Amino acid sequence: MDHQKLRDSISNAWAADVLPSLSGLVEIPAVSAAYDAAWEENGHLRAAVEHVRGWIAARGLPGARCEVVRLDGRAPLLFVDVPATPGAAATAGTVLLYGHLDKQPPLGDWSEGLGPWQPVIRGDRLYGRGAADDGYSGYAATTALEAVQEAGGEHARAVLLLETGEESGSPDLPAYLEHLGDRLGEVSLVVCLDGGGGDYERLWLTSSLRGAVQATLTVRLLETGVHSGLGSGIVPSSFRVMRQLLDRLEDPETGEIKVPEMVVPIPDERRAEAAELVAGHPEVAVPKLPVLPGVRRVSDDEVELVLNNTWRPTLSITGAAGLPDPAVAGAVLRPWTSVRLSFRLPPTADAEAARAALERVLTTDVPYGAQIEVGEFMVLNGWHAPTAAPWLEAALRQVGDDVFGRPCQSMGIGGGIPFMEMLGRRYPRAQFVVTGALGNDSNAHVPDEWLHIPFAKQVTEAVARLLDAHARAGAQS
């Protein structure tokens, strides 16, 4: 493969074709279904899929088939099937390239001159919701396939899956995988472009993703509120009972999770990876968070902070109800308190077992006989990358040297991508490359989201090289 021609092809495509269409995608308010109850009526998810489908179909990839797949009541999915090049043997199997087209809501005020549905290019940045997370992915995957062919390289049969429910936890994806199972074929390589890393200097590879269990916990003691002067000391506060229950789940001094089903041994190689990350990239090992003056982190050991964020369970209270605003709070013993529990689970924890244990802990021997409701569950398994095959290790070294001038770097991620665990179960022998163009300051999920355009081009080139290496490795097997 002519590597210079590959790079030129990618650079030209991004400038002339990708950025105009990606900017058009930013303009579509394709908010994920969990944040838009009228998503089907509004039609924005469908519009996003059609926008990208039209662009890919017009590219003229030989033999490519683009199809919008829609199961009843489920958010649509774009399925693109690209035949293998003539030089790729059938033993190479199928490459599955994954991304998503749904978006987070605007979530706050954007800076002057910027807006969630307003694409703006300033220097090397494309601003707008979904530009980096994850609208660019379908364009990068398609451009990589095109460039491989133009540069005389090879690629195995490739399928591109662009879903529209990732930001909602991918609730429809299992049904689509079952529906498309026979058409996916024997997947031997998965490339997920919904990731990223700490900077824009190297290719970042995700080695693990945490799972999650979310639930709403409600404590009820009274039919109606009563004057606190009459009721306090006779009936316990629902907030105090809530505190007691939360203390069953989490050590209030250390934050350690007490539910055994949520805790797993940390593999030695991940401990070593965390130490290497801290030693080699201290500026990105631990996210720089907007802490207030005088606030201390939970540990002074940065390796432990990395492990806390990637392999240890944590609890966050992300919402509450039954509590009036302090400015209007009267002297009332409130009848109930409700909180939203959000657990992040280790990559190898069984999320369903964790959910069942959570429900059992909260509803057994309840203090004062309070009425407890636990519901509105969201359950997500984590993912742990398999060991890289020799061909993939060699290809990643080459990508590091030739594309970025720096070695690739692996790291665990504190968030989750539901698709990875699903595919890991379905294709246990497949190789996985979870990467992407997100940096730690790309503002995914918050105002002023932006895509680093030169880095996105490099990620596209990296994917193209991996496609060629995979096809050749398959041909030699």
Side-chain angles (χ1 to χ4, degrees):
M1 185 165 64
D2 185 330
H3 291 155
Q4 186 58 53
K5 189 171 184 179
L6 180 82
R7 181 169 298 174
D8 292 343
S9 174
I10 290 170
S11 181
N12 293 336
W14 265 90
D17 303 310
V18 172
L19 285 174
S21 185
L22 179 55
S23 296
L25 180 63
V26 167
E27 294 175 347
I28 303 172
V31 173
S32 198
Y35 308 99
D36 181 8
W39 65 268
E40 193 163 12
E41 177 184 346
N42 290 333
H44 300 312
L45 295 177
R46 184 170 60 252
V49 170
E50 286 293 346
H51 179 86
V52 178
R53 184 206 62 78
W55 184 84
I56 295 176
R59 303 303 296 167
L61 270 170
R65 293 179 294 165
C66 302
E67 177 184 353
V68 177
V69 184
R70 174 70 188 276
L71 299 178
D72 288 344
R74 301 186 184 277
L77 175 145
L78 181 59
F79 180 79
V80 182
D81 192 334
V82 182
T85 54
T91 53
T94 296
V95 181
L96 194 156
L97 301 121
Y98 167 83
H100 67 88
L101 299 175
D102 59 315
K103 309 176 184 182
Q104 286 280 323
L107 297 174
D109 296 327
W110 289 52
S111 298
E112 184 178 355
L114 302 177
W117 322 126
Q118 177 185 350
V120 174
I121 295 179
R122 291 181 179 172
D124 290 335
R125 301 182 177 189
L126 170 61
Y127 288 89
R129 177 64 84 224
D133 183 25
D134 187 30
Y136 86 96
S137 60
Y139 294 94
T142 303
T143 300
L145 289 164
E146 287 181 322
V148 167
Q149 295 191 14
E150 290 181 13
E154 307 288 351
H155 65 73
R157 173 179 177 255
V159 295
L160 174 58
L161 287 185
L162 297 176
E163 66 156 319
T164 58
E166 194 276 341
E167 301 292 4
S168 301
S170 298
D172 299 333
L173 204 51
Y176 279 114
L177 286 177
E178 185 65 28
H179 178 71
L180 296 169
D182 292 341
R183 297 173 61 184
L184 292 177
E186 187 57 41
V187 175
S188 57
L189 173 63
V190 176
V191 179
C192 171
L193 292 171
D194 191 27
D199 59 28
Y200 307 102
E201 304 297 326
R202 72 205 81 237
L203 188 69
W204 291 87
L205 304 169
T206 300
S207 60
S208 64
L209 297 158
R210 284 197 293 184
V213 171
Q214 295 181 11
T216 298
L217 168 63
T218 302
V219 176
R220 299 183 186 275
L221 290 110
L222 296 166
E223 292 183 355
T224 62
V226 299
H227 192 297
S228 60
L230 297 176
S232 62
I234 299 175
V235 177
S237 159
S238 63
F239 193 85
R240 180 160 69 88
V241 175
M242 178 68 75
R243 282 163 41 204
Q244 290 178 275
L245 293 175
L246 293 179
D247 285 352
R248 294 180 177 183
L249 306 175
E250 176 192 51
D251 185 319
E253 296 294 327
T254 66
E256 181 180 353
I257 299 302
K258 298 179 178 180
V259 182
E261 289 82 355
M262 296 185 179
V263 182
V264 305
I266 301 175
D268 290 341
E269 64 267 29
R270 297 307 168 215
R271 289 183 179 274
E273 179 183 87
E276 177 188 346
L277 183 66
V278 169
H281 308 283
E283 73 284 358
V284 299
V286 178
K288 305 301 180 185
L289 304 177
V291 297
L292 294 172
V295 173
R296 298 189 306 275
R297 300 183 300 186
V298 300
S299 174
D300 293 328
D301 187 330
E302 293 207 335
V303 174
E304 292 303 305
L305 292 178
V306 170
L307 295 174
N308 285 349
N309 187 242
T310 56
W311 275 91
R312 294 192 178 107
T314 58
L315 170 62
S316 300
I317 304 298
T318 58
L323 297 161
D325 188 282
V328 297
V332 175
L333 184 64
R334 297 176 298 101
W336 59 276
T337 299
S338 183
V339 299
R340 184 66 173 168
L341 308 174
S342 180
F343 288 91
R344 290 291 178 175
L345 303 179
T348 56
D350 184 328
E352 177 53 35
R355 184 211 63 77
L358 172 66
E359 189 170 18
R360 183 179 66 252
V361 168
L362 292 174
T363 57
T364 302
D365 297 327
V366 177
Y368 302 102
Q371 293 184 7
I372 302 300
E373 301 168 10
V374 188
E376 299 178 351
F377 288 104
M378 192 280 282
V379 178
L380 166 66
N381 279 312
W383 173 79
H384 188 201
T387 302
W391 74 262
L392 181 55
E393 282 190 344
L396 289 170
R397 283 195 299 271
Q398 202 68 46
V399 163
D401 291 343
D402 295 348
V403 180
F404 297 91
R406 293 175 175 83
C408 302
Q409 177 67 52
S410 295
M411 65 182 295
I413 301 295
I417 304 175
F419 190 54
M420 292 301 100
E421 189 274 336
M422 296 178 199
L423 279 184
R425 268 188 290 113
R426 192 178 188 97
Y427 302 107
R429 292 186 296 275
Q431 293 290 291
F432 282 76
V433 176
V434 181
T435 187
L438 284 169
N440 62 2
D441 59 350
S442 295
N443 291 348
H445 295 205
V446 298
D448 298 354
E449 177 182 337
W450 60 278
L451 175 72
H452 191 292
I453 298 170
F455 186 62
K457 293 179 182 179
Q458 288 179 300
V459 171
T460 305
E461 183 179 350
V463 171
R465 285 179 174 246
L466 293 177
L467 290 172
D468 182 66
H470 169 258
R472 297 179 188 282
Q476 296 165 6
S477 63

